[in-house]
DNA sequence: CATGAATGAGGCTTCATTCAT
DNA sequence: AATGAATGAAGCCTCATTCAT
């Protein structure tokens, strides 16, 4: 403790303050229509200040996703190694849903990222941060399938393909349910739909079931 | 016969010419970074001319998706009514993949649309065109599941949820494979991954299998 | 009779048709916001056709005013030479009001012309057509004052100044009443206000009254 | 004292700087042909900066008129209450002429405003600012006539009509003299013409004179 | 004569980013 | 560190005018 640490803390607090505001504005307006000015106002700071903490709008956006990816990775690493693969699959479902709930708007952000304009206009550094974390996370998931195949409880299919399906299905269902909610404000069926998706997936991937 | 029809044809040809150019530019740059100027140049027209055929940039973008949705709907309507539900599911897989192949960059466009900025800033008319077609298409898919459940070959789950899963999985896998291709230019694994996804899905949804 | 004359007539009819449409659109939208396209549509012609009858948008606008000026001049020339100057003044009032009623929206147009953007961006030819007619008309009015001064019924002031006052007052009151009507749709008080204006003017200009 | 006030002043100074430039350009080119770019250049600022002080081109234009109206109102409020109505009329003449001289090009601007395109395409807020001030000013003038009628020195005519005549005559004469000057660069006769106009008006409105 | 599709210059406006204070 | 005024590039879109049919 002492002044330098306090400064450090203060700085980190500001960063968070900005990220919170950015999240709010980005999920309201989308990346393009969101303005730095508005994010700054929402963070009760001036627009110039944002540039002391983030190099540009892009980095601000990506930082939001990074937090989610970090959380995802952390959670994946904490899946109990002792579980059977099918149990791990169920744990995975919980992890993914938790990741979504951890911060729904940012999760959607992140999937948008994979699928939008922005990816095409991202600086290499930002890109590699994203892809690095993503790769690690997917490797973890892939590991579950490898294990399941090896020890015979899962059908013998390429683990990377299986991983892509899990990830695609998860992000696709999240985005699609989100779109539906945007278009016609009905109830939100995300949770039961994901539940069912994993039920089907498990039955589909289990051997001799 | 004669001049009026020729004019009509000529006009339609121009429209197509513009759409082709728009597709090219949009899929290269993404919606935001694409410029009307560039699309016009690519269509070998002046920028003003584009506005004789499309009200604005947004409508141009959406029109691309509409074509795909129309194709999707048409194909869904041509799935043989006499097929057994599991066979229809396989036919559905072919349809979806064909829809993708019909115009990959536009299909991706369309999924972007569901999941992006643009949806939030779309004119009501455009929006209702999109949602109308989408609803029709999904109703068709939903019908397959209803039938399968009714006659006992599929597990008894909510057909809308099943439909959302198919659609989410399809779009999610397409987008994700596309992202992967953008990030590291490897081979394109979309086809086998979708094959596998449907294999799992079918096993997951088949009763007593 | 004969084809050439018929052609001529037909051509003139078209011209009028266009002028009518132009008047309608100009007074609805104002010069700037009115578009050639809209005038053409209103005349049930194509935009290109308008250019067969008028060199450009500007000329179309000016032509409207010219008609009014011609009518004004004609009416001024028909003021009975035998009248006493004060009677002529009253006749002038009637002429001016008739000119306004002859085509209110065009009269307003014309006064706008004197006082707007357009004057500054008018081609020299157009300009000289306008100014020529205006000068003739004002000379006529000026003549009334000269006569009145000469024969002693009017106060001895510079006739041109008196003319400017009549003209300025007339156009100013018309424009101002028009503005008032645009802003708050009350009753139209133009007629009685002009009546009163001329009453004051006459009392002001009459000698020994 | 101190920094905030200085900032405030600085900001106001900028506003004025822009208004001065706008006045210059608008009166040279007219509203339509004037460009923001040119105004900015003339103010030695970038075009974007103008939008920090004025919402758009229209508001910039209207702001010029507002200043004149405010000056008019202030001057009208300072007409000595103790004067006799005919003296007030003469004071009014001075006020109006001073208002013109306060800023001739802007005064002309303002009369253009009453009579142009722009009125039809003005935002409601701007409109109500303009009309509010105008109404106040005209009420003041109307008050002079009311008083004169009440105490018997003026003929008994509707004070609003009299006011409209004064205002119409003033703006009409100003615009018309201005037009004449634009068309043929002679001497400027505005002052004597207005002088004469008020002389006639006074004689016209005085009772038993 | 009439058409109306095509042109393309040009304007307004927004907004990420910088920098003097 | 924080501010927020200023920048200026860049884009969308309109519309008067032309011209091939």
């Amino acid at each position: 403790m002492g002044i330098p640490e306090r400064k450090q803390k203060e700085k980190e607090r500001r960063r968070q303050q900005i990220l919170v505001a950015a999240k709010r504005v980005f999920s309201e307006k989308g990346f393009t229509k969101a303005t730095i000015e508005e994010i700054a106002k929402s963070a009760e700071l001036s627009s110039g200040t944002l540039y002391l903490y983030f190099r540009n709008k892009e980095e601000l956006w990506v930082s939001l996703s990074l937090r989610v990816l970090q959380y995802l990775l952390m959670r994946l690493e904490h899946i109990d190694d002792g579980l059977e693969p099918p149990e791990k699959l169920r744990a995975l479902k919980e992890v993914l849903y938790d990741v979504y709930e951890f911060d729904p708007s940012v999760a959607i952000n992140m999937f948008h990222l994979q699928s939008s304009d922005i990816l095409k206009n991202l600086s290499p550094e930002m890109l590699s941060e994203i892809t690095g974390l993503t790769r690690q996370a997917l490797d973890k998931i892939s590991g579950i399938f490898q294990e399941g195949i090896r020890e015979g409880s899962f059908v013998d299919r390429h683990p990377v393909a299986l991983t892509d399906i899990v990830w695609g299905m998860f992000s696709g269902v999240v985005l699609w349910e989100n779109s539906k909610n945007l278009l016609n404000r009905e109830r939100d069926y995300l949770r039961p739909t994901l539940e069912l998706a994993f039920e089907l997936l498990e039955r589909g991937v289990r051997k001799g079931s």
Side-chain angles (χ1 to χ4, degrees), chain A:
Chain A
M1 35 115 173
I3 291 170
E5 275 116 36
R6 176 166 314 199
K7 286 233 167 163
Q8 199 47 41
K9 276 223 169 137
E10 186 54 34
K11 185 153 186 174
E12 184 51 28
R13 191 187 307 284
R14 276 269 200 277
R15 231 187 106 89
Q16 293 310 320
Q17 183 185 354
I18 295 170
L19 284 171
V20 167
K23 181 174 65 183
R24 195 162 41 227
V25 177
F26 279 140
S27 50
E28 230 173 84
K29 308 282 181 89
F31 180 82
T32 309
K33 295 260 176 176
T35 69
I36 290 288
E37 182 70 25
E38 192 178 356
I39 294 171
K41 218 161 256 165
S42 171
E44 292 173 44
L45 290 168
S46 75
S47 62
T49 305
L50 265 59
Y51 285 81
L52 299 174
Y53 294 88
F54 299 90
R55 220 164 10 176
N56 48 38
K57 190 184 178 186
E58 200 179 63
E59 181 172 320
L60 191 47
W61 167 277
V62 168
S63 297
L64 289 172
S65 296
L66 287 179
R67 290 208 309 181
V68 177
L69 284 175
Q70 276 152 1
Y71 177 72
L72 168 63
L73 190 56
M74 184 270 281
R75 285 294 305 273
L76 288 173
E77 280 165 348
H78 282 74
I79 289 180
D80 186 350
D81 243 352
L83 297 176
E84 295 295 307
E87 289 165 339
K88 282 187 179 163
L89 207 54
R90 265 167 259 137
L92 174 61
K93 176 191 71 191
E94 290 306 321
V95 165
L96 290 180
Y97 192 72
D98 286 355
V99 164
Y100 169 76
E101 288 228 303
F102 171 68
D103 210 325
S105 60
V106 175
I108 288 164
N109 244 3
M110 186 179 65
F111 298 141
H112 281 197
L113 184 63
Q114 303 180 352
S115 62
S116 99
D117 265 15
I118 301 167
L119 196 60
K120 291 201 178 84
N121 306 302
L122 213 53
S123 72
E125 306 90 62
M126 290 286 103
L127 210 53
S128 75
E129 282 209 69
I130 291 273
T131 52
L133 275 173
T134 305
R135 195 183 312 268
Q136 284 182 66
L138 295 191
D139 281 353
K140 279 279 164 210
I141 298 175
S142 184
I144 296 174
F145 288 116
Q146 282 172 45
E147 188 189 341
I149 293 162
R150 198 179 339 103
E151 50 107 58
S153 55
F154 288 168
V155 293
D156 186 14
R157 297 292 181 280
H158 199 304
V160 170
L162 292 169
T163 303
D164 286 352
I165 289 167
V166 169
W167 187 248
M169 190 183 75
F170 173 56
S171 61
V173 168
V174 166
L175 288 176
W176 173 238
E177 292 293 329
N178 185 247
S179 285
K180 283 178 66 173
N181 291 343
L182 280 178
L183 296 177
N184 37 36
R185 298 208 164 280
E186 298 172 17
R187 273 187 51 203
D188 182 346
Y189 288 103
L190 178 58
R191 177 81 220 213
T193 306
L194 275 179
E195 211 56 73
L196 178 53
F198 268 88
E199 179 197 322
L200 300 182
L201 183 77
E202 188 185 338
R203 197 155 40 219
V205 90
R206 280 292 269 286
K207 202 160 170 181
S209 68

